[in-house]
Amino acid sequence: MRLSDLYPPKPRKPIQALEAKHSPAPRQSAQSGAADAGATPARRLFLLSASAAAAAAAAGLVPRLVRPAFADDSRRAGASAHFEVAFSDAEWRKRLSPGQYEILRQEGTERPYSSPLNDEHRAGTFACAGCAQPLFSSRTKFDSHTGWPSFWTPLDKAVGTRTDTTFGMIRTEVHCSRCGGHLGHVFDDGPKPTGLRYCMNGLAMTFLPQAA
């Protein structure tokens, strides 16, 4: 596709007298008319696709397309010197399944409703799949209707956060404070008492049921 297909030149405005003579149909508003005149089918499709992609990214409904660019870029898979549990990238690949590695060490995102932990309602604790650190209590889990396990608060000092500017947006990334493994993101549309929604990847965690 050529650049001219996405950004075509704007048509010249007709002379008002000729327009009145040869255009019996009612004129559209200036705003909608200008938008339609300057948009070819290819451009309209491009704009609709871009808008849909941005909305899906904002809702967390798309998989990892590019590697996130964090404001503090010190945490990367293998760059774990600042964490208590630290392994080389090769060692992480051995310890984790491909899906776990993609999320915990490459900041990936699983498909919504793909994790059994989304439907886990027993009493217990959700722990990091990378280092087994307890992260969330089942008492703080709620159904966010997003397709990912969601909590309104983590356990004390269990997670850390960083600014994530992926997709041209500013979000708050959440990772395990012990090994630096990526868990998900936190949003401010959760329930009381915190008003927060820790939207986590199920593959990044394991569940330890509470003893009867």
Side-chain angles (χ1 to χ4, degrees):
M1 181 179 292
R2 296 172 302 177
L3 185 61
S4 59
D5 293 331
L6 298 180
Y7 299 96
K10 294 184 178 180
R12 296 179 180 177
K13 291 185 178 180
I15 300 175
Q16 292 182 355
L18 293 177
E19 182 180 18
K21 181 178 180 180
H22 298 289
S23 303
R27 295 180 62 189
Q28 295 178 326
S29 66
Q31 183 176 0
S32 61
D36 291 340
T40 63
R43 177 170 170 76
R44 282 195 290 270
L45 179 61
F46 171 78
L47 293 174
L48 288 173
S49 300
S51 299
L61 300 180
V62 294
R64 181 179 64 86
L65 301 179
V66 295
R67 198 167 191 174
F70 294 106
D72 180 353
D73 203 41
S74 62
R75 188 178 69 82
R76 285 296 182 208
S80 52
H82 299 295
F83 296 98
E84 179 184 348
V85 174
F87 297 109
S88 66
D89 183 62
E91 183 63 23
W92 278 121
R93 287 181 181 273
K94 292 179 182 179
R95 289 173 171 269
L96 303 173
S97 70
Q100 290 173 329
Y101 176 84
E102 170 69 13
I103 291 171
L104 285 166
R105 310 316 304 177
Q106 295 293 312
E107 292 88 26
T109 301
E110 68 192 9
R111 291 182 296 104
Y113 298 101
S114 63
S115 172
L117 294 189
N118 187 54
D119 298 318
E120 180 58 72
H121 304 297
R122 292 176 293 171
T125 302
F126 294 82
C128 176
C131 68
Q133 171 165 259
L135 301 172
F136 298 92
S137 168
S138 61
R139 292 191 298 271
T140 65
K141 189 173 186 288
F142 69 97
D143 188 358
S144 64
H145 303 288
T146 61
W148 288 278
S150 299
F151 309 83
W152 48 264
T153 192
L155 295 174
D156 187 37
K157 299 180 180 180
V159 304
T161 60
R162 276 192 172 85
T163 299
D164 177 2
T165 57
T166 310
F167 303 113
M169 300 176 294
I170 298 177
R171 297 182 294 171
T172 302
E173 183 266 354
V174 180
H175 56 270
C176 173
S177 65
R178 187 165 180 249
C179 70
H182 171 73
L183 303 172
H185 293 83
V186 59
F187 304 93
D188 59 0
D189 57 2
K192 295 180 179 180
T194 63
L196 299 176
R197 170 171 59 94
Y198 284 81
C199 190
M200 303 291 98
N201 289 283
L203 274 173
M205 303 183 295
T206 58
F207 178 71
L208 307 174
Q210 182 175 316

